[in-house]
Amino acid sequence: MSIAPTAELATAAVFARWIAPRPSLVVMQPDTFCNMDCAAYCYLPQRKRRNRMPVAVAQAVAASLTSLGPDEFGQRQIVEVCWHGGEPLAVGVEAMTELLAPFEPLRAAGLIHHSVQTNATLINDDWCDLFQHYSFSVGVSIDGPADLNARRTDRAGRPAHDRIMGGIGRLRQRGIEFSVIAVVGTDGIGRAEDLLDFLAGLGATQIGFNIEEFEGSNAGDQPRPAEARGFWTAAIAWSTAHPGVRIRELDRLGGYLGTIRAGERAVWEAHSFDPLPTIAFNGDVILLSPELAGIRDEHYGDFVAGNVLEQDLGSIVARAWQLPYVTEFIDGLAACRATCGFFDFCRGATAGNRYFENGTFASTETNYCRVSRQELVNALIDTTRKEEP
Ligand code: SF4
């Protein structure tokens, strides 16, 4: 790519203003395969294929994180290494142990922390041993009680609810804390209290809700903004009655309000967007959104910013401003700031949703941001107005 030096500087400077130079989260794809087949809404195009990550890729990522060094304030923030999929547990305990080994010096130095997002069906005592040995944060994907969780199915199309509950039971028996993430579709959007009662009853440390999105292979029906507003209003009321239960989205909104109230708006505004590198099984690095991994597009190509077997992660992120989808996304963030009344809280929602819904990263509003950001704020406004004397 040839580009005039002054233009290059300008673009790199704009990139640096919006995107953090160091990732705080690295998503690892140990395999593209998933043992389940939630065909009704899964976004992963390669979930039926076995593509195992070689240990050399894990070694290259660990070496990259080692070489990142401190930031401009001399600090080294802890990087979360999130094992995602496919279904990450489908690689087996032995292969996962081999992939974790290169990270051990970083973990021992307190520089990284492992997490995993799993469908829980494969959790057994061996996996519990591994989670405890490597101090994993465990996140379980479950959409609610059996009727709302019915779209999580195995390859024969049978609901996997009992197997998911079995995995959660094993975590509980072993005293391993876990959070849950529930996809809320059109069937669950009117049942916030049922969902929260059920998910809180599992004993999760935090409940997160992903209002169903239009993403990757998922082109089904999604809840509408008015329905989402009702959902969040009910969730806020439920949370008020159950103050000990953490709900991820309300935590984020509370964090924003707390920061503003403390007069620290500048701290909130200083947050830049995490480059969010996803390391595909073969070492390819996809930035901004894990949902872009494995996708090909006529205009954008394969979204690959580089490969960790050829370049270190820091260099790949530093040159990312040259990628059209990254610069378009920065344009989208700037447009959000210029036009959206919710930007102060939102700071610009995900790249994947802009692309999958609008076909461009430079766009602003999506159904995702309406249902997950805007209507969350509107629900809080509705609630506080109702409580005004
Ligand atoms: S709510 Fe949507 S349009 Fe507004 S800042 Fe967030 S992503 Fe942009």
Side-chain angles (χ1 to χ4, degrees), residues 329 332-333 335-350 354 363-370 372-375:
F329 178 61
L333 291 178
C336 278
R337 184 172 62 182
T339 62
C340 179
F342 297 89
F343 182 81
D344 201 35
F345 161 62
C346 173
R347 315 304 298 169
T350 77
R354 292 171 200 251
S363 68
T364 55
E365 272 197 333
T366 60
N367 191 56
Y368 167 80
C369 80
R370 288 184 209 106
S372 300
R373 302 278 169 92
Q374 298 183 5
E375 295 306 344

Side-chain angles (χ1 to χ4, degrees), residues 190-230:
R191 292 176 54 188
E193 294 93 346
D194 281 359
L195 259 172
L196 280 159
D197 286 342
F198 175 81
L199 296 171
L202 297 177
T205 53
Q206 189 189 52
I207 298 167
F209 289 117
N210 288 345
I211 309 282
E212 192 165 343
E213 302 164 39
F214 180 83
E215 257 178 354
S217 298
N218 176 21
D221 268 354
Q222 286 87 41
R224 299 295 153 209
E227 297 171 310
R229 190 161 177 161

Side-chain angles (χ1 to χ4, degrees), residues 316-329:
I316 292 172
V317 171
R319 305 294 291 174
W321 59 268
Q322 296 180 330
L323 294 163
Y325 78 96
V326 174
T327 53
E328 269 191 19
F329 178 61

Side-chain angles (χ1 to χ4, degrees), residues 67-82:
S67 66
L68 274 183
D71 63 19
E72 67 268 36
F73 307 109
Q75 305 289 320
R76 284 196 68 149
Q77 65 176 344
I78 299 174
V79 177
E80 179 179 347
V81 178
C82 178

